Amino acid sequence: MPVAADVVLGAGVTIHHPVLVNLYGCTVGEGSTIGPFVEVQRGAVIGARCKIGSHSFVCTGVTLEDEVFVGHGVMFVNDRHPRAASGGRLQREGDWVLEPTRVGRGASIGSGAVVMCGVTIGAGAMVGAGAVVTADVPAGATVAGVPARLLARATAGAVAPPPADATAPGDTEPKSAPP
């Protein structure tokens, strides 16, 4: 069952190795590319002209708008408090809270990044390789690190570094600019 019968594939979708993916109950927009060893779960939506690198996991509740790049080994999370069991039995669908995640048009997520649940990555944003995104990323911003911190903001079509007293998404204390 590499690509289940209930998957909606737009025109011109490329799945490089169909027997080496696990897609079920999802939608993949026209012209998108899915690499090997990718899982896309039920209810996930991948827009048009997206690229999903190998070994990535796109879970239920994730929406990728058009022209999103997802590097190799990117992991999305949809449960803030994951548990194996609840009340002495394995958890089922009603035992946890799905927190949706949205990635805006033209955003790029570097290899090995982890995107926690309930965040929005704005249009045209750039997430560095290996980052852990725990809070919203503004449109056009560049973030990196663990947790992901703001490196640059878009200004009138260009990307400019943040002011020296800028805070990272989720931070409350100002951070000084790196040397």
Side-chain angles (χ1 to χ4, degrees):
M1 178 182 92
V3 179
D6 61 353
V7 172
V8 177
L9 298 176
V13 169
T14 300
I15 301 174
H16 290 291
H17 297 282
V19 298
L20 299 177
V21 298
N22 190 18
L23 280 63
Y24 51 96
C26 60
T27 300
V28 181
E30 67 180 58
S32 290
T33 301
I34 308 288
F37 306 108
V38 168
E39 180 171 349
V40 183
Q41 291 187 322
R42 183 171 319 288
V45 176
I46 296 173
R49 297 170 306 284
C50 292
K51 290 186 176 184
I52 313 298
S54 69
H55 300 87
S56 292
F57 176 68
V58 182
C59 54
T60 300
V62 172
T63 298
L64 307 179
E65 294 180 1
D66 296 345
E67 300 172 1
V68 169
F69 174 83
V70 175
H72 302 286
V74 171
M75 300 291 142
F76 289 88
V77 176
N78 63 4
D79 183 2
R80 193 168 305 277
H81 304 286
R83 298 282 183 264
S86 177
R89 62 174 172 69
L90 285 177
Q91 272 197 339
R92 291 180 280 214
E93 200 169 308
D95 295 330
W96 60 283
V97 177
L98 172 69
E99 294 194 40
T101 297
R102 178 170 292 278
V103 180
R105 182 184 184 119
S108 294
I109 303 173
S111 294
V114 175
V115 180
M116 300 303 291
C117 57
V119 301
T120 297
I121 297 173
M126 177 81 64
V127 175
V132 176
V133 179
T134 59
D136 290 351
V137 176
T142 300
V143 299
V146 179
R149 298 194 187 294
L150 184 65
L151 299 180
R153 286 189 189 270
T155 56
V159 176
D165 64 347
T167 57
D171 278 354
T172 56
E173 295 295 319
K175 304 290 184 212
S176 59

